[in-house]
Every structure is written in structure tokens, then in C-alpha cells.
Amino acid sequence: MPATDLSGYNGAVTLPTGHGGAAKGFTIRRAMSSKNTNRYGSDRFDRWRGGSIGISGDIRIFLLKGTTETAPGIVSPTPDGSTITLTLEIGCTLSGIAIFPDFNLDHTFDDPAIEAVHAYRFNGTVTETWATM
């Protein structure tokens, strides 16, 4: 089967207990440390080697009320992290343990829904699953 574009219609986020809200989108940032390994020998140009990888981003949510499971966890993030799964498309996911170091909320009066942002940072191994249908 030929490669096809991913669609935003099938995206989803599985938020952990204690970090509630109706997820409406997310961002992913991948950073890799690097080191210049050229040692100034016969080559004048830099040579780089990649190192450890960090994956982080933001999860946009709408706030909900009605049960304790919907509380966004503003004052009680889990210090060692919780399992999350980011679904880009059916069969295309990133999952692992993540911490939630930042929470941002901009409350505008007369707005029909309050949006907030959970910043996340994977803590340890991240599993990438990619559909190859």
C-alpha cells in the first residue's frame, strides 16, 4: 500500500489520572545533545556525534468539571511521572512515562470554554509505534 498523509482527525492523548481535561491537541519537541568530536586533526571542519534524546511538548486541553478525575492537577503533579500515550494517527503513537513540569491557563471572561496547557517531558524510554500498512 502506498504511503498516506496523517490526519489530525484521529489524534488523541491518554492523560494520566490526576491530569484531567478534554485533550484537543499536542506538540512534540525532540532534542538531542551533541558533542564536537573533531579533536582538530587533519580535518578543519566540525564533526558531531549525537547523544541523549529528550522528548517534550505541550498538551492543549479544555477544562472539565463534575468528577475528581476531571481535575487538571494544577497543584498536584506526580513527581516521578505517569504513563501517557500521544496518538498522531491510528497506529502511530509515542508512549512512556512523562512528568508535567508546567501548567498554563488563560482565563478569559465570557469565553464559552477555558483552555489550558499541560507541558510534558518524557522521563526515560519512549516507545514509538509507526503504522506501516
Side-chain angles (χ1 to χ4, degrees):
M1 177 178 248
T4 59
D5 294 338
L6 270 65
S7 164
Y9 294 111
N10 294 318
V13 175
T14 303
L15 286 167
T17 301
H19 293 83
K24 66 170 248 167
F26 58 86
T27 63
I28 298 172
R29 287 184 295 278
R30 192 240 330 124
M32 181 172 63
S33 63
S34 58
K35 182 170 183 101
N36 187 340
T37 59
N38 184 15
R39 297 197 181 94
Y40 309 102
S42 60
D43 193 351
R44 290 185 46 214
F45 295 96
D46 288 341
R47 293 184 182 272
W48 293 93
R49 174 78 178 161
S52 60
I53 297 170
I55 298 175
S56 63
D58 297 313
I59 301 168
R60 296 179 307 282
I61 64 168
F62 284 119
L63 298 183
L64 302 171
K65 67 178 183 178
T67 67
T68 56
E69 289 81 28
T70 62
I74 297 170
V75 298
S76 58
T78 305
D80 295 320
S82 302
T83 301
I84 68 167
T85 299
L86 306 174
T87 301
L88 290 90
E89 174 64 79
I90 296 168
C92 300
T93 63
L94 290 176
S95 60
I97 304 295
I99 63 169
F100 291 80
D102 298 309
F103 180 84
N104 296 293
L105 180 139
D106 184 7
H107 189 302
T108 303
F109 299 154
D110 294 330
D111 195 342
I114 298 173
E115 186 176 359
V117 177
H118 283 296
Y120 70 89
R121 182 174 296 145
F122 279 107
N123 188 17
T125 302
V126 179
T127 301
E128 178 179 12
T129 304
W130 210 255
T132 57
M133 324 184 233

